[in-house]
Amino acid sequence: MTGSAARSGGPPPLPVYLTSAVIARTADEGARVALVMLAAQRAHSPTLGGALVAALMIPHVAAAPVVGVLADSVRRRRLFHGSAVVLYGAALVALAFLVGTADDVVVLALAVAAGCVAPLLAGGLTGLLADLLSKERLTRAFSADAVSYNLAGICGPAVAATLGTAVGAGAALAALGAGAMTGGLLLFSLRLRPRAPGQAGPPGPAGPGRLRAADLARGAVALVRNSLLRAVTWGSSVAQLGVGALPVVSVLLAAEYHAPWATGGLMTAFAAGALAGSLSYAYRPVGRHHPERVVLWGLPATGVPLAMVPWVGDAVVAAALFAVAGFCTGPLFSALLASRERYAPPGTRTQVFTLGAGLKSTFAAAGAGAAGALSGLGAVPLMLGTAVCQVVAGALALVLLSGRHAGSAGRGAGPAESSPEPSSSGFDTRAREPRRR
């Protein structure tokens, strides 16, 4: 089976996919804001709002191995993914009616259930691209997918805040849920061929479609043993410690600059820069045959403008530096997605995507928590800390990439390729063409 699963006579797969991904991910991003607003407006309990967001976010990591294995094992992928996104949207609609009216235990349990599906809105959807498009189109497709994440990160909170203020947080959450359901329905129109019995699920005596305990660890093992996946995954995750701290640092910087607009303006500049970077990379991708190199150099490149922020005394200049840093993350994220697809072992692609996304979310949350706990140090030390995280992440990725290979370095690697020597530049020079499906 080739990388392209599209058949003639149907709608173009990429526009349909991107439309679904944008509205589903916008709902996911906006739900966090809408839930806090709803708990404050209806239940008069900010504590409940925080608990709801935590209940929605924590399963992103805990459920990622399970949903990844299921997604890699099912034959009817569009039915599985489409139904999952529809269910996520339905849960948000239900929460819009139940928060403040039903028992807190009920709404928290519903939020946890929705969070268990959420990994399929991020890495799960991205894992479908290789089954929709030929491998020649994947580099630009991953860049376009990175744009969908950026748009969702910008539009989700904005839509939730605007609707929540204008018509109420309950209506805002219901609208976001309805949007997610629409995105799920769009997935049903994608031309994904059913997997043949030998293609569905990880190989093993349990057979396709059956969930074995050992299968839950396959994706995690790949992220540890595969030198290329290990480098880009753990390097980008460590970088999220700094990125996760940026909202807290932005608040402190806005106070120092006496510029209230900078509280949200700095992060908006960062998000806008990331969007521009993703679009630029989609237009002219570089390093398509070695995406790990883009990740490796993108990490310290992000840290350089962030390290300059403490030495400027103007909020506008700081916003410009935030935008430059964001611009560097655009190609980095696109290349990260391409690396996961290119180097994921057979049968673990969706697991690798969902686990990688979950790890990034976990590190970002840890960074935000650490920045909040250390906020008494002031903006300058924390800002420098976020920049250092990017440089350390780049160094870590280089070390992990240069280390000897402990397992299969890429899909389709043969026995003779199991322990490649790194080149003098620190990169594996073996040809890494993905195995044709």
Side-chain angles (χ1 to χ4, degrees):
M1 176 181 175
T2 63
S4 176
R7 294 180 295 211
S8 60
L14 188 57
V16 174
Y17 167 85
L18 290 175
T19 301
S20 174
V22 167
I23 57 180
R25 290 166 180 164
T26 296
D28 187 35
E29 295 285 344
R32 304 165 199 175
V33 175
L35 283 170
V36 174
M37 295 181 67
L38 182 58
Q41 290 178 3
R42 189 184 293 168
H44 307 289
S45 175
T47 301
L48 175 60
L52 284 169
V53 173
L56 191 67
M57 291 296 296
I58 291 175
H60 276 63
V61 179
V66 177
V67 298
V69 170
L70 291 174
D72 280 327
S73 65
V74 297
R75 295 188 62 204
R76 304 287 180 177
R77 286 158 293 163
R78 65 177 178 178
L79 178 61
F80 178 80
H81 286 81
S83 299
V85 177
V86 168
L87 287 174
Y88 182 82
L92 295 186
V93 173
L95 285 169
F97 290 97
L98 294 177
V99 172
T101 60
D103 191 90
D104 289 353
V105 174
V106 174
V107 296
L108 287 171
L110 184 57
V112 169
C116 289
V117 179
L120 290 172
L121 278 69
L125 288 182
T126 302
L128 293 176
L129 283 172
D131 297 317
L132 288 170
L133 305 169
S134 64
K135 65 178 182 180
E136 292 79 13
R137 299 179 61 192
L138 280 179
T139 298
R140 282 192 168 89
F142 284 128
S143 298
D145 197 43
V147 170
S148 76
Y149 284 96
N150 296 330
L151 285 175
I154 296 172
C155 297
V159 169
T162 301
L163 289 179
T165 302
V167 296
L173 187 60
L176 292 168
M181 294 173 70
T182 302
L185 294 175
L186 282 176
L187 291 177
F188 292 139
S189 68
L190 291 178
R191 298 289 184 167
L192 288 168
R193 294 178 183 148
R195 285 173 174 157
Q199 294 174 317
R210 296 183 183 180
L211 183 62
R212 300 179 300 162
D215 294 335
L216 298 178
R218 286 172 58 86
V221 168
L223 296 181
V224 173
R225 296 187 61 197
N226 184 307
S227 62
L228 294 160
L229 284 176
R230 184 173 65 227
V232 299
T233 297
W234 296 104
S236 61
S237 295
V238 169
Q240 288 298 304
L241 286 171
V243 174
L246 284 180
V248 177
V249 179
S250 296
V251 173
L252 298 176
L253 287 171
E256 288 198 4
Y257 294 140
H258 304 290
W261 66 265
T263 300
L266 293 176
M267 289 309 300
T268 300
F270 186 87
L275 176 60
S278 296
L279 290 172
S280 174
Y281 191 72
Y283 176 72
R284 188 179 293 277
V286 295
R288 67 172 65 195
H289 299 300
H290 297 278
E292 71 280 1
R293 298 186 180 185
V294 180
V295 176
L296 186 70
W297 297 114
L299 291 170
T302 301
V304 171
L306 293 178
M308 297 170 63
V309 171
W311 316 116
V312 302
D314 184 77
V316 175
V317 178
L321 291 172
F322 266 67
V324 173
F327 185 89
C328 295
T329 67
L332 189 160
F333 185 46
S334 301
L336 174 62
L337 298 179
S339 297
R340 290 173 181 167
E341 159 57 28
R342 179 177 289 265
Y343 305 127
T348 65
R349 186 177 67 223
T350 308
Q351 297 175 59
V352 167
F353 274 106
T354 55
L355 280 169
L359 284 170
K360 288 186 67 180
S361 297
T362 301
F363 275 81
L374 299 173
S375 59
L377 296 176
V380 171
L382 292 183
M383 189 74 253
L384 291 175
T386 62
V388 169
C389 282
Q390 312 309 306
V391 177
V392 170
L396 174 64
L398 178 61
V399 170
L400 294 177
L401 189 62
S402 301
R404 272 195 172 272
H405 191 75
S408 174
R411 288 185 295 166
E417 299 170 330
S418 60
S419 297
E421 291 291 340
S423 70
S424 59
S425 61
F427 293 99
D428 174 16
T429 57
R430 187 189 70 251
R432 304 184 190 92
E433 284 301 315
R435 189 181 69 180
R436 293 186 67 82
R437 294 175 178 80

